[in-house]
Amino acid sequence: MNRILLLGLALAPVALFASSEGAVETDIVQRTVNFIIFAGILWYLLADKIKAYFAERSLSIQAELDKVQDTLKASEDKVNEAKKQLEDASKIAAEIVENAKADIDSVKEKVSLAVTADINNLEKNLEEMIKVETSKAKREVVAEVLEELLKSDNIKLSQDELVNIVLKKVA
């Protein structure tokens, strides 16, 4: 109300001196007073409604701001949770890699042991085959020599001597 009164007082001298001719009388003073009264009445009638509107608008803006802040907080929580899950996943991935390396080392060791065992078995089998083949070769040579000796007329052996020779070879 004070503002309107001050505005009216400030405009009154302007209205008085606004006329270009000093002798012409106008109703500017009455109009100014009527305007001030009209503004005062409007202010009296609408001030509570205007204040209520702006207070309600402030509250709705505040509610929307709170809602946005809640959404922002929820988003930040989700981001933090996603970061935590990412860290957990990277830890699990590192553990999987470590386990895979350990498994690879153990598999290499097992394969190495199996190959070494196979090589040893093959060497033993080779040695046994060499012994068997050597004994076969000896038997064949002995059989050939005996056949030649028996077929030749130069050496005469009796049945007893021949049996003794065979028994010595077999033993």
Side-chain angles (χ1 to χ4, degrees):
M1 191 71 170
N2 290 335
R3 290 183 202 159
I4 296 173
L5 186 58
L6 286 174
L7 180 65
L9 290 176
L11 293 177
V14 171
L16 291 176
F17 296 113
S19 65
S20 59
E21 297 178 18
V24 177
E25 289 188 27
T26 60
D27 60 345
I28 191 74
V29 173
Q30 291 85 2
R31 288 186 182 195
T32 304
V33 171
N34 284 342
F35 177 75
I36 292 171
I37 293 171
F38 176 71
I41 291 171
L42 277 179
W43 178 259
Y44 179 75
L45 293 175
L46 299 177
D48 293 335
K49 293 177 183 176
I50 291 172
K51 287 179 185 178
Y53 170 76
F54 284 119
E56 183 181 327
R57 180 72 178 144
S58 295
L59 290 176
S60 67
I61 290 172
Q62 183 65 37
E64 287 180 31
L65 181 63
D66 290 342
K67 183 179 176 182
V68 168
Q69 287 178 345
D70 290 342
T71 305
L72 179 64
K73 177 70 173 160
S75 297
E76 287 175 354
D77 291 343
K78 287 181 181 179
V79 166
N80 290 337
E81 184 179 331
K83 284 180 182 179
K84 184 179 178 183
Q85 289 177 350
L86 178 64
E87 289 175 4
D88 292 343
S90 63
K91 286 179 184 178
I92 290 171
E95 289 176 7
I96 289 172
V97 168
E98 286 295 322
N99 290 340
K101 286 180 181 179
D103 289 345
I104 288 171
D105 290 340
S106 67
V107 167
K108 282 182 182 178
E109 186 176 322
K110 287 178 183 178
V111 168
S112 175
L113 290 175
V115 167
T116 304
D118 288 344
I119 290 172
N120 289 338
N121 287 337
L122 289 173
E123 286 176 354
K124 287 179 185 178
N125 289 340
L126 180 63
E127 289 174 6
E128 290 176 11
M129 287 178 67
I130 289 173
K131 287 179 184 178
V132 168
E133 292 297 323
T134 304
S135 65
K136 281 183 184 179
K138 284 181 184 179
R139 283 185 211 146
E140 289 176 5
V141 169
V142 168
E144 287 177 16
V145 169
L146 282 176
E147 271 184 51
E148 286 179 21
L149 288 176
L150 292 176
K151 287 182 183 177
S152 86
D153 292 331
N154 295 340
I155 302 175
K156 301 261 183 192
L157 294 173
S158 68
Q159 190 82 15
D160 292 333
E161 291 174 345
L162 187 58
V163 170
N164 282 336
I165 290 172
V166 170
L167 285 177
K168 286 181 184 177
K169 289 296 178 181
V170 171

